[in-house]
Amino acid sequence: MSGSAKVPGLARATVIEWRARRIADSLCRLQYLRGETERRTGKRLAVWTRVACGLVFLFTPVIPAREAVLMPAAVGQTEPPPAVWLVETAMDHQTYSNGLRIDNRYQTQTHGRSYGVFARSRLDRETFERRTEPAGIVYHATESDLAPFEPSQNLRLQRIDEALLDYVRRRQSYHFVIDRFGRVYRVVVESDAANHAGHSVWADREWVYCNLNSAFLGIAFEARTEAGQKAPLDMAQIRAGRALTDMLRSRYRILAENCVTHAQVSVNPSNMEIGYHTDWATRFPFEAMGLPDNYRLPVAGVLLFGFGYSTPFLEAVHGRVWPGLSSAEETVAEQAAARGLSPAGYARLLRSRYRMKREALHRAGAFEETNDEQE
């Protein structure tokens, strides 16, 4: 077997070992290693093997976080969205052909959407196109206070809703909010940008987006997504989320691959890591929204611009990284090896590409500064 043929397997093993050492909690580290082994072999480990792995890695020192590596993505086939149209507009709401009802009582405006996109086929160039139509959807969780969802708490649930919507409206945080009862509220009108994504990066098969406040619409579910929550969404919210997703995809011709979670797109340019925000880092019901499992899509910040990640992100995904992130790291390790570079060295080159893109947008007045603390 030639040396080049050994690179993929070596790259995978190196990435798994490197990632495991970044998990500070020894139990989480063991769970991750066991899950990776079972995922790749298709077999459950024998009990004695699990114990042996645990003893080895339980006492393995955690090394400092290093840069992650990235890969070029393969995007699967997507189904066209169903046709949905506006049926009726009243003073305070709209009704659509799929039964969607949008409450407009909290509607507000910011400034017109305008953003730059880069051609994925010409990533080393500074030139970009200006767009004004939304290209995708970012799903959020409000991570706000929740009351028990039961009849005796009805008045409290409604008061919390009102306070949340008032807060979101003042901060212009999302385009839409779906409350615990499955009611859909329009907050920022679709023609405007909302303060929902912060520093963010995504890419589809043709285009790269570096400012999702303007490029994508933000849908927030009134929910909490941290560990311990049995089911972040109830059926009313899921039905409303599906109806709203179908309407927006139909109206703006949004690709399924551009419907992603906040955790997938959020980045921190100050330390060049992904996952500054981790809402919906796991368990987003893509299938229930009429979408493929978009956790399998490569993370654009890692894939194209060399962003890394550290222990907090791994803890947010419970030590089980998304399939798209895992395959991205493996492929980038192969790309780095093909160039005679280490994965970390190759990532540094890609980070300079991100800085070049940001500077090009800044010079043209097409990059919107954001305060992520407000997200």
Side-chain angles (χ1 to χ4, degrees):
M1 183 180 293
S2 67
S4 60
K6 297 179 182 179
V7 171
L10 177 61
R12 283 194 292 273
T14 301
V15 168
I16 292 171
E17 179 183 359
W18 162 75
R19 191 186 293 140
R21 290 178 181 274
R22 301 179 73 175
I23 304 175
D25 184 88
S26 56
L27 181 58
C28 290
R29 203 182 323 155
L30 172 59
Q31 290 173 337
Y32 162 72
L33 286 164
R34 191 172 75 186
E36 280 297 306
T37 303
E38 292 173 357
R39 182 171 71 87
R40 294 181 182 284
T41 63
K43 301 177 182 178
R44 290 187 59 82
L45 292 175
V47 172
W48 68 267
T49 306
R50 298 182 206 171
V51 172
C53 289
L55 290 174
V56 170
F57 280 90
L58 186 63
F59 298 103
T60 301
V62 178
I63 63 174
R66 296 187 294 163
E67 298 90 347
V69 289
L70 24 139
M71 70 167 225
V75 180
Q77 298 295 317
T78 59
E79 294 294 328
V84 180
W85 62 92
L86 178 64
V87 173
E88 180 183 31
T89 298
M91 182 177 297
D92 61 356
H93 70 274
Q94 290 180 334
T95 304
Y96 290 81
S97 60
N98 63 349
L100 173 67
R101 184 186 188 277
I102 300 179
D103 190 315
N104 291 325
R105 289 177 296 165
Y106 291 86
Q107 180 175 301
T108 188
Q109 294 178 308
T110 57
H111 58 84
R113 172 183 292 101
S114 178
Y115 60 95
V117 296
F118 298 92
R120 190 162 176 170
S121 61
R122 300 188 297 275
L123 281 176
D124 292 326
R125 300 184 185 180
E126 297 184 1
T127 55
F128 62 87
E129 292 185 14
R130 283 188 182 269
R131 301 275 179 86
T132 57
E133 288 288 293
I137 297 170
V138 176
Y139 297 103
H140 303 260
T142 60
E143 307 292 1
S144 50
D145 292 337
L146 301 178
F149 197 68
E150 54 191 44
S152 63
Q153 298 291 316
N154 192 54
L155 290 178
R156 185 182 173 198
L157 287 164
Q158 294 187 63
R159 285 197 297 268
I160 290 174
D161 273 357
E162 292 169 1
L164 173 64
L165 288 162
D166 181 64
Y167 176 85
V168 168
R169 184 182 189 278
R170 285 186 284 108
R171 298 172 77 92
Q172 303 167 334
S173 300
Y174 311 108
H175 292 92
F176 299 94
V177 172
I178 300 176
D179 75 2
R180 303 283 297 286
F181 300 105
R183 297 178 296 193
V184 180
Y185 294 89
R186 178 179 279 114
V187 182
V188 176
V189 296
E190 293 99 298
S191 59
D192 290 5
N195 302 320
H196 70 99
H199 294 294
S200 46
V201 172
W202 192 248
D204 56 38
R205 69 194 75 178
E206 295 184 22
W207 303 100
V208 179
Y209 312 89
C210 294
N211 178 10
L212 303 194
N213 279 351
S214 289
F216 282 33
L217 298 166
I219 298 177
F221 293 89
E222 185 183 4
R224 299 186 69 91
T225 61
E226 70 270 19
Q229 297 291 325
K230 292 184 179 179
L233 301 180
D234 58 38
M235 287 307 300
Q237 289 178 300
I238 289 174
R239 287 192 296 268
R242 172 64 183 267
L244 180 57
T245 296
D246 285 348
M247 185 277 285
L248 294 174
R249 289 193 61 210
S250 175
R251 182 175 183 181
Y252 298 108
R253 299 182 181 180
I254 292 173
L255 298 174
E257 67 203 74
N258 282 349
C259 300
V260 289
T261 72
H262 199 191
Q264 291 176 275
V265 304
S266 179
V267 299
N268 185 354
S270 65
N271 63 10
M272 295 302 290
E273 291 187 355
I274 63 170
Y276 183 80
H277 294 280
T278 56
D279 43 323
W280 294 120
T282 61
R283 298 190 297 168
F284 184 76
F286 283 111
E287 183 178 359
M289 298 296 137
L291 300 165
D293 179 7
N294 282 348
Y295 286 125
R296 293 188 171 278
L297 294 174
V299 180
V302 175
L303 162 69
L304 303 174
F305 297 129
F307 282 82
Y309 58 87
S310 53
T311 298
F313 173 81
L314 289 170
E315 291 173 346
V317 298
H318 312 306
R320 298 182 66 88
V321 300
W322 308 316
L325 176 55
S326 182
S327 61
E329 291 178 302
E330 293 166 6
T331 303
V332 170
E334 295 170 15
Q335 290 183 337
R339 292 165 171 77
L341 299 171
S342 67
Y346 187 46
R348 283 193 290 272
L349 292 178
L350 293 170
R351 290 173 182 176
S352 64
R353 173 190 286 171
Y354 174 74
R355 288 188 284 270
M356 176 189 71
K357 301 294 189 188
R358 276 179 56 112
E359 290 169 3
L361 293 172
H362 271 295
R363 287 195 301 270
F367 191 88
E368 185 177 345
E369 289 295 346
T370 180
N371 180 1
D372 265 312
E373 293 303 319
Q374 296 181 359
E375 307 287 313

